Amino acid sequence: YMMAIDADTRVSKLSMSYMHRYMQANDRVLACCGETKVDNTTASWVTMIQIYDYFASHALKKSFESIFGCVTCLPGCFTMLRIYCPDDMRPLLSSDNVFQAYSRNDIESLHDKNLFHLGEDRMLTTLLLKYFPEYRLNFVPAASCWTIVPDSYKVLLSQRRRWINSTFHNMWELLKVRTLCGCCCLSMKTVVAIDMLSTMILPAAFLYGLSFIYVVFVAGEPI
C-alpha cells in the first residue's frame, strides 16, 4: 500500500489502521480515502464557513459515491492506494498505463494544465476508474484527518477558483470513461454531469446570494 498525506494534514492515530484493515478485508478495493475536516476552525469567520463545506463534500458526497465504488476524487491529502494485486501480483497503481498517462511532460493546452497542474489528485482518480473498472474506490468514514484551510477571504477565493477549474476539466474527462456503473439516467455519469453543472453555476449562485442579501436588507425590498 501507499499512503498519501499533505504536509499540513493532521491524521488521527487509528485512521491508517482503519484504512489498512478495510483494504485487507476487501481485495477489490483499489484505493480508499477518509474524512477530511477543518483543523483551524476558530481562526476566522472564513474558516468557520468552510466546516459544513468539508462535511458535505466528504461525509455526504463521498459516502454516496462509495456505495457504487466510484469515489470521483481521492484527495491527495489523505488517501491509501493499493500498489499491486495481492493475488497475482498484477501492478495496479504501479501499472504502465497509469504511469504513462500520469507522468506527462508535454503539458501545453489549458485543458491539460487544469488536469495535471491544478487537479492532479482528481486526474489520478479518473485514471484509476478508467483502467481498472473491476476495482472499487471507496470512502472509509472511521478514518479522519484535519487540514489547515484558508483563513482569509482572498486566499479562499483563489483556492476555490483553482478547484472549480480543475473540477470542471476533470469531470469532463470522467464523462469519457465508459466503464462507470449504471446505465442511461441511472448511472454515475449522470451524477458526474449534475455535479459538473452545479460546479459551473456555483459562482453565479454566490453572486445571486449577495444580490439577494442586498435587495432584502439594504434596499428594503419585500421578499
Side-chain angles (χ1 to χ4, degrees):
Y1 307 101
M2 185 185 76
M3 188 73 189
I5 303 175
D6 274 357
D8 60 350
T9 301
R10 179 169 58 90
V11 181
S12 62
K13 293 182 179 180
L14 297 177
S15 290
M16 294 181 66
S17 298
Y18 287 140
M19 300 170 77
H20 177 255
R21 184 177 64 182
Y22 183 85
M23 296 188 71
Q24 276 193 321
N26 302 274
D27 292 339
R28 308 312 297 175
V29 175
L30 174 55
C32 65
C33 65
E35 182 180 359
T36 303
K37 304 177 183 179
V38 178
D39 198 2
N40 53 336
T41 55
T42 59
S44 66
W45 67 272
V46 178
T47 61
M48 294 178 184
I49 64 176
Q50 298 177 69
I51 297 175
Y52 178 75
D53 177 42
Y54 273 77
F55 172 77
S57 61
H58 287 80
L60 297 182
K61 181 183 177 182
K62 285 182 171 53
S63 294
F64 171 77
E65 295 174 339
S66 184
I67 297 176
F68 306 97
C70 296
V71 174
T72 56
C73 178
L74 295 170
C77 66
F78 190 48
T79 296
M80 180 173 287
L81 305 105
R82 194 187 299 272
I83 300 177
Y84 57 85
C85 179
D87 296 332
D88 54 5
M89 303 296 289
R90 181 164 64 98
L92 297 176
L93 177 64
S94 56
S95 69
D96 292 338
N97 290 332
V98 176
F99 269 161
Q100 291 175 4
Y102 195 60
S103 60
R104 291 180 52 186
N105 57 2
D106 57 342
I107 307 300
E108 297 179 354
S109 67
L110 183 61
H111 175 65
D112 289 339
K113 288 182 179 179
N114 280 279
L115 292 176
F116 294 96
H117 291 173
L118 298 183
E120 67 282 351
D121 50 357
R122 277 188 174 273
M123 189 57 195
L124 179 59
T125 306
T126 301
L127 293 175
L128 296 179
L129 290 172
K130 177 181 179 180
Y131 290 113
F132 303 103
E134 71 277 14
Y135 281 84
R136 299 174 60 88
L137 306 181
N138 284 87
F139 171 74
V140 183
S144 59
C145 73
W146 293 264
T147 187
I148 301 295
V149 300
D151 57 357
S152 66
Y153 194 65
K154 181 179 180 181
V155 178
L156 177 63
L157 286 181
S158 176
Q159 180 198 62
R160 296 311 163 102
R161 182 191 63 81
R162 298 194 308 269
W163 284 9
I164 290 175
N165 287 358
S166 64
T167 298
F168 173 79
H169 286 271
N170 273 282
M171 285 185 174
W172 182 263
E173 290 296 319
L174 195 58
L175 288 176
K176 300 177 184 178
V177 179
R178 301 181 179 180
T179 54
L180 295 180
C181 63
C183 62
C184 298
C185 295
L186 302 176
S187 66
M188 278 301 299
K189 279 194 175 183
T190 303
V191 175
V192 172
I194 295 175
D195 197 6
M196 185 172 66
L197 178 62
S198 64
T199 302
M200 292 174 60
I201 66 176
L202 182 61
F206 175 75
L207 295 177
Y208 175 78
L210 291 180
S211 65
F212 177 80
I213 293 174
Y214 173 80
V215 169
V216 174
F217 294 100
V218 179
E221 294 289 336
I223 301 178

